[in-house]
């Protein structure tokens, strides 16, 4: 018996949304008695902004939490008989929860770490490519937002060449668009500097 009621899609969608809504940055900020990440820096409740507090452990735990809430539901769904492309599409409700969390007045993060968690659950090799691209880009640019944009612009290509599943490659285009939308201010700032 599965703990995820895949026979009832509305319940499943709501569960995925609630999982995505868990605001790990806000939780760890309170546990470590830090400023709310929505009140400083980029005002984004994510690991990068948590790093601005100077507390690397809180930032690391936020990153891990955001990755796990993408990975774990996808991993569990692989045991329900759903096809992997169906699972990837359902994962967008996790992203929706992360971006518009019911627990923090329907605001949220940019879904980078959570996307990586989802991709890790779908195809670990593609996830390794995304993470590696982010790291290389960050080492060159020292800009987290640009690194995320670069990694996710290449995401459909990674799926196309390594997953042998055209449906996943197509769905990943929407994942890329999602990341570009959440990073629109970063894109504007980068373009305005040129």
């Amino acid at each position: 018996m599965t703990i995820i009621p895949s026979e009832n899609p509305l319940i499943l969608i709501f569960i995925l949304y609630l999982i995505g809504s868990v605001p790990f940055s806000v939780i760890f900020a309170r546990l470590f008695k830090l400023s709310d990440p929505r009140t400083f820096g980029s005002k984004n409740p994510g690991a990068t902004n948590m790093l601005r507090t100077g507390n690397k452990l809180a930032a690391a735990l936020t990153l891990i939490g955001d990755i796990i809430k993408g990975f774990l539901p996808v991993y569990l769904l692989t045991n329900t008989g759903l096809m992997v492309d169906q699972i990837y599409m359902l994962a967008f409700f996790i992203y929706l929860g992360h971006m518009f969390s019911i627990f923090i007045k329907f605001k949220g993060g940019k879904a980078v770490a959570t996307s990586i968690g989802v991709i890790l659950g779908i195809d670990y090799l593609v996830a390794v490519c995304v993470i590696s691209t982010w790291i290389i880009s960050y080492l060159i640019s020292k800009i987290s937002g640009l690194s995320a944009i670069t990694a996710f612009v290449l995401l459909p290509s990674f799926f196309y060449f390594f997953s042998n599943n055209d449906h996943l490659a197509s769905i990943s285009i929407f994942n890329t668009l999602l990341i570009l939308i959440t990073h629109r201010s970063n894109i504007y700032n980068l373009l305005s500097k040129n």
Side-chain angles (χ1 to χ4, degrees):
M1 180 179 176
T2 178
I3 63 171
I4 297 181
S6 57
E7 69 277 0
N8 191 323
L10 292 179
I11 293 177
L12 174 57
I13 286 168
F14 185 62
I15 289 173
L16 293 174
Y17 169 77
L18 285 181
I19 292 171
S21 289
V22 178
F24 283 106
S25 62
V26 176
I27 291 170
F28 288 121
R30 291 178 181 173
L31 287 175
F32 285 88
K33 297 182 175 14
L34 303 170
S35 298
D36 189 316
R38 295 168 294 171
T39 63
F40 62 85
S42 65
K43 295 183 170 47
N44 176 58
T48 301
N49 207 31
M50 283 290 285
L51 196 58
R52 292 187 173 99
T53 66
N55 192 315
K56 294 181 179 179
L57 178 58
L61 290 173
T62 297
L63 177 64
I64 292 169
D66 284 346
I67 290 174
I68 288 175
K69 75 180 182 183
F71 170 78
L72 188 58
V74 167
Y75 175 77
L76 293 175
L77 283 171
T78 59
N79 298 312
T80 63
L82 289 171
M83 307 223 6
V84 67
D85 50 345
Q86 293 175 311
I87 294 172
Y88 196 4
M89 288 188 290
L90 283 168
F92 279 77
F93 290 101
I94 304 174
Y95 300 156
L96 190 65
H98 181 79
M99 294 164 57
F100 304 101
S101 171
I102 193 172
F103 302 118
I104 50 174
K105 299 179 180 179
F106 297 100
K107 295 182 179 179
K110 296 182 177 179
V112 173
T114 303
S115 290
I116 289 173
V118 167
I119 295 163
L120 186 62
I122 292 172
D123 191 313
Y124 75 92
L125 182 57
V126 172
V128 168
C129 290
V130 171
I131 294 168
S132 299
T133 302
W134 189 97
I135 291 172
I136 293 170
S137 180
Y138 185 76
L139 290 174
I140 295 171
S141 69
K142 305 298 182 184
I143 303 174
S144 178
L146 177 59
S147 303
I149 291 166
T150 303
F152 278 88
V153 163
L154 293 174
L155 176 63
S157 297
F158 294 146
F159 266 113
Y160 180 78
F161 288 110
F162 297 112
S163 72
N164 295 317
N165 187 321
D166 291 343
H167 290 157
L168 291 179
S170 297
I171 297 167
S172 72
I173 293 172
F174 294 99
N175 204 155
T176 295
L177 291 174
L178 182 73
I179 296 301
L180 293 177
I181 290 170
T182 61
H183 284 78
R184 59 191 180 277
S185 61
N186 302 74
I187 295 171
Y188 175 79
N189 291 333
L190 289 168
L191 292 176
S192 64
K193 289 180 180 178
N194 297 326

